[in-house]
Coordinates of all heavy atoms in Angstrom, one line a residue:
T1 N 12.9 0.0 -13.5 CA 13.4 -0.7 -12.3 C 14.6 -1.6 -12.7 O 15.7 -1.6 -12.1 CB 12.4 -1.6 -11.6 OG1 11.3 -0.7 -11.1 CG2 13.0 -2.3 -10.4
A2 N 14.4 -2.3 -13.8 CA 15.5 -3.2 -14.3 C 16.8 -2.4 -14.7 O 17.9 -2.9 -14.5 CB 15.0 -3.9 -15.5
E3 N 16.6 -1.1 -15.1 CA 17.7 -0.3 -15.5 C 18.2 0.5 -14.3 O 19.1 1.4 -14.5 CB 17.3 0.7 -16.6 CG 16.9 0.0 -17.9 CD 16.5 0.9 -19.0 OE1 17.0 2.0 -19.1 OE2 15.6 0.6 -19.8
E4 N 17.6 0.3 -13.1 CA 18.0 1.0 -11.9 C 17.8 2.5 -12.1 O 18.6 3.4 -11.5 CB 19.5 0.7 -11.5 CG 19.7 -0.7 -11.2 CD 21.1 -1.0 -10.7 OE1 22.0 -0.1 -10.8 OE2 21.3 -2.2 -10.3
L5 N 16.8 2.9 -12.8 CA 16.5 4.3 -13.0 C 15.2 4.7 -12.3 O 14.9 5.8 -12.0 CB 16.3 4.6 -14.5 CG 17.5 4.4 -15.4 CD1 17.1 4.7 -16.9 CD2 18.7 5.2 -15.0
G6 N 14.4 3.7 -12.0 CA 13.1 3.9 -11.3 C 12.9 3.2 -10.0 O 13.9 2.7 -9.5
V7 N 11.7 3.1 -9.6 CA 11.4 2.5 -8.2 C 10.6 1.3 -8.4 O 9.6 1.3 -9.2 CB 10.7 3.5 -7.4 CG1 10.3 2.9 -6.0 CG2 11.5 4.8 -7.2
D8 N 10.9 0.2 -7.7 CA 10.1 -1.0 -7.7 C 8.9 -0.7 -6.7 O 9.0 -0.9 -5.5 CB 10.9 -2.2 -7.2 CG 10.1 -3.5 -7.3 OD1 8.9 -3.5 -7.5 OD2 10.7 -4.6 -7.0
V9 N 7.8 -0.3 -7.3 CA 6.6 0.1 -6.4 C 6.1 -1.0 -5.6 O 5.5 -0.8 -4.6 CB 5.5 0.8 -7.3 CG1 6.0 2.1 -7.9 CG2 5.1 -0.1 -8.4
S10 N 6.2 -2.2 -6.1 CA 5.7 -3.4 -5.3 C 6.4 -3.5 -4.0 O 5.8 -4.1 -3.0 CB 5.8 -4.7 -6.2 OG 7.2 -5.0 -6.3
Q11 N 7.6 -3.0 -3.9 CA 8.3 -3.2 -2.6 C 8.0 -2.1 -1.6 O 8.4 -2.1 -0.5 CB 9.8 -3.1 -2.9 CG 10.4 -4.2 -3.8 CD 10.2 -5.6 -3.1 OE1 10.5 -5.7 -2.0 NE2 9.6 -6.5 -3.9
L12 N 7.1 -1.1 -2.0 CA 6.7 -0.1 -1.1 C 5.4 -0.4 -0.4 O 5.0 0.3 0.6 CB 6.5 1.2 -1.9 CG 7.7 1.7 -2.7 CD1 7.3 3.0 -3.4 CD2 8.9 2.0 -1.9
R13 N 4.8 -1.5 -0.8 CA 3.4 -1.8 -0.3 C 3.4 -2.0 1.2 O 2.5 -1.4 1.9 CB 2.9 -3.1 -1.0 CG 1.5 -3.5 -0.6 CD 1.1 -4.6 -1.6 NE -0.2 -5.2 -1.3 CZ -0.4 -6.3 -0.7 NH1 0.7 -7.1 -0.3 NH2 -1.6 -6.8 -0.5
D14 N 4.3 -2.8 1.8 CA 4.2 -3.0 3.2 C 4.5 -1.8 4.0 O 3.9 -1.5 5.1 CB 5.2 -4.1 3.6 CG 4.8 -5.5 3.0 OD1 3.6 -5.6 2.7 OD2 5.6 -6.4 3.0
S15 N 5.5 -1.0 3.6 CA 5.8 0.2 4.4 C 4.7 1.2 4.3 O 4.4 1.8 5.3 CB 7.1 0.9 3.8 OG 8.2 0.0 3.9
W16 N 4.1 1.3 3.2 CA 2.9 2.2 3.0 C 1.8 1.7 3.9 O 1.1 2.5 4.6 CB 2.4 2.2 1.6 CG 1.2 3.0 1.3 CD1 1.1 4.3 1.0 CD2 -0.2 2.5 1.3 NE1 -0.2 4.7 0.8 CE2 -1.0 3.6 1.0 CE3 -0.7 1.2 1.5 CZ2 -2.4 3.5 0.9 CZ3 -2.1 1.1 1.4 CH2 -2.9 2.2 1.1
F17 N 1.5 0.4 3.9 CA 0.4 -0.1 4.7 C 0.6 0.1 6.2 O -0.3 0.5 6.9 CB 0.2 -1.6 4.5 CG -0.9 -2.2 5.2 CD1 -2.3 -1.9 5.0 CD2 -0.7 -3.1 6.3 CE1 -3.3 -2.4 5.7 CE2 -1.7 -3.6 7.1 CZ -3.0 -3.3 6.7
N18 N 1.8 -0.1 6.7 CA 2.2 0.2 8.1 C 2.0 1.6 8.4 O 1.5 2.0 9.5 CB 3.6 -0.3 8.4 CG 3.7 -1.8 8.4 OD1 2.8 -2.5 8.6 ND2 4.9 -2.3 8.0
M19 N 2.3 2.5 7.5 CA 2.2 4.0 7.8 C 0.7 4.3 7.9 O 0.2 5.0 8.7 CB 2.8 4.7 6.6 CG 2.9 6.2 6.8 SD 3.6 7.1 5.3 CE 5.2 6.2 5.1
V20 N -0.1 3.8 6.9 CA -1.5 4.0 6.9 C -2.2 3.4 8.1 O -3.1 4.0 8.8 CB -2.1 3.5 5.6 CG1 -3.7 3.5 5.7 CG2 -1.7 4.3 4.4
K21 N -1.8 2.2 8.4 CA -2.4 1.5 9.6 C -2.2 2.2 10.9 O -3.2 2.4 11.7 CB -1.8 0.1 9.7 CG -2.4 -0.8 10.9 CD -1.8 -2.2 10.9 CE -0.3 -2.1 11.2 NZ 0.2 -3.5 11.3
D22 N -1.0 2.7 11.1 CA -0.7 3.5 12.3 C -1.6 4.7 12.4 O -2.1 5.1 13.5 CB 0.8 3.9 12.4 CG 1.7 2.7 12.6 OD1 1.2 1.6 13.0 OD2 2.9 2.8 12.4
T23 N -1.8 5.4 11.3 CA -2.6 6.6 11.3 C -4.0 6.3 11.5 O -4.7 7.0 12.3 CB -2.4 7.4 10.0 OG1 -1.0 7.7 9.8 CG2 -3.2 8.6 9.9
L24 N -4.6 5.3 10.8 CA -6.0 5.0 11.0 C -6.3 4.5 12.4 O -7.4 4.8 12.9 CB -6.4 3.9 10.0 CG -6.3 4.3 8.5 CD1 -6.9 3.2 7.6 CD2 -7.1 5.6 8.2
T25 N -5.4 3.8 13.0 CA -5.5 3.3 14.3 C -5.6 4.5 15.3 O -6.5 4.5 16.2 CB -4.4 2.4 14.7 OG1 -4.4 1.2 13.9 CG2 -4.6 1.9 16.2
E26 N -4.7 5.4 15.1 CA -4.7 6.6 15.9 C -6.0 7.4 15.7 O -6.5 8.1 16.7 CB -3.5 7.5 15.6 CG -3.4 8.7 16.6 CD -2.1 9.5 16.3 OE1 -1.2 9.0 15.6 OE2 -2.0 10.6 16.9
A27 N -6.6 7.4 14.5 CA -7.8 8.1 14.2 C -9.0 7.3 14.6 O -10.2 7.7 14.3 CB -7.8 8.4 12.7
T28 N -8.9 6.2 15.3 CA -9.9 5.3 15.7 C -10.8 4.8 14.6 O -12.0 4.7 14.7 CB -10.9 6.0 16.8 OG1 -11.6 7.0 16.2 CG2 -10.1 6.5 18.0
L29 N -10.1 4.6 13.4 CA -10.8 4.1 12.2 C -10.4 2.7 11.9 O -9.3 2.2 12.2 CB -10.4 5.0 11.0 CG -10.9 6.4 11.1 CD1 -10.2 7.3 10.1 CD2 -12.4 6.5 10.8
E30 N -11.3 1.9 11.3 CA -11.1 0.5 10.9 C -10.0 0.5 9.8 O -10.1 1.3 8.9 CB -12.4 -0.1 10.5 CG -12.2 -1.6 10.0 CD -13.5 -2.1 9.5 OE1 -14.6 -1.5 9.7 OE2 -13.5 -3.2 8.9
V31 N -9.1 -0.4 9.9 CA -8.0 -0.6 8.9 C -8.5 -1.6 7.9 O -8.8 -2.8 8.2 CB -6.7 -1.1 9.5 CG1 -5.7 -1.2 8.4 CG2 -6.2 -0.1 10.6
P32 N -8.7 -1.2 6.6 CA -9.2 -2.2 5.6 C -8.2 -3.3 5.3 O -7.0 -3.2 5.7 CB -9.4 -1.3 4.4 CG -9.5 0.1 4.9 CD -8.6 0.1 6.1
D33 N -8.7 -4.3 4.6 CA -7.8 -5.4 4.3 C -6.9 -5.1 3.1 O -7.4 -4.7 2.0 CB -8.7 -6.6 3.9 CG -7.9 -7.9 3.5 OD1 -6.7 -7.9 3.7 OD2 -8.6 -8.8 3.1
I34 N -5.6 -5.2 3.3 CA -4.7 -4.8 2.2 C -4.8 -5.8 1.1 O -4.4 -5.5 -0.1 CB -3.2 -4.8 2.8 CG1 -2.3 -4.2 1.8 CG2 -2.8 -6.2 3.2 CD1 -0.9 -4.0 2.2
N35 N -5.3 -7.0 1.3 CA -5.4 -8.0 0.2 C -6.8 -8.0 -0.4 O -7.1 -8.9 -1.2 CB -5.2 -9.4 0.8 CG -3.7 -9.5 1.3 OD1 -2.8 -9.2 0.6 ND2 -3.6 -10.0 2.5
A36 N -7.6 -7.0 -0.1 CA -8.9 -6.8 -0.8 C -8.8 -6.6 -2.3 O -7.7 -6.2 -2.8 CB -9.7 -5.7 -0.1
W37 N -9.8 -6.9 -3.0 CA -9.8 -6.6 -4.5 C -9.6 -5.2 -4.8 O -10.1 -4.3 -4.1 CB -11.2 -7.1 -5.1 CG -11.2 -6.9 -6.6 CD1 -10.8 -7.7 -7.5 CD2 -11.7 -5.7 -7.2 NE1 -11.0 -7.1 -8.8 CE2 -11.6 -5.9 -8.6 CE3 -12.3 -4.5 -6.8 CZ2 -12.0 -5.0 -9.6 CZ3 -12.7 -3.6 -7.7 CH2 -12.6 -3.8 -9.1
M38 N -8.8 -4.9 -5.8 CA -8.4 -3.5 -6.2 C -8.7 -3.2 -7.6 O -8.6 -4.1 -8.5 CB -6.9 -3.3 -5.9 CG -6.5 -3.5 -4.4 SD -7.1 -2.1 -3.4 CE -6.6 -2.6 -1.8
H39 N -9.1 -2.0 -7.9 CA -9.2 -1.5 -9.2 C -7.8 -1.3 -9.9 O -6.9 -1.0 -9.2 CB -9.9 -0.1 -9.3 CG -11.4 -0.1 -8.8 ND1 -12.4 -0.6 -9.6 CD2 -11.9 0.3 -7.6 CE1 -13.5 -0.5 -9.0 NE2 -13.3 0.0 -7.8
R40 N -7.8 -1.4 -11.2 CA -6.5 -1.1 -11.9 C -6.9 -0.7 -13.3 O -8.0 -0.8 -13.7 CB -5.7 -2.4 -11.9 CG -6.2 -3.5 -12.7 CD -5.3 -4.7 -12.6 NE -4.0 -4.4 -13.1 CZ -2.9 -5.1 -12.9 NH1 -3.0 -6.3 -12.2 NH2 -1.7 -4.8 -13.3
G41 N -5.9 -0.2 -14.0 CA -6.1 0.1 -15.4 C -5.6 1.5 -15.8 O -5.3 1.8 -17.0
G42 N -5.5 2.4 -14.8 CA -5.1 3.8 -15.1 C -3.8 3.9 -15.8 O -3.6 4.7 -16.7
K43 N -2.8 3.1 -15.4 CA -1.5 3.2 -15.9 C -1.4 2.7 -17.4 O -0.5 3.1 -18.1 CB -0.5 2.4 -15.1 CG -0.2 2.9 -13.7 CD 0.8 2.0 -13.0 CE 1.1 2.6 -11.6 NZ 2.1 1.7 -10.9

């Protein structure tokens, strides 16, 4: 990201959540908390 070769993935979070929220709402499903605890380590 610093070299302007990649993507700042942290900046995609809100757009992704809005996309997911709209779909889950249409599917009559509960939208989970975006600030919930998350697994990490794969990278």
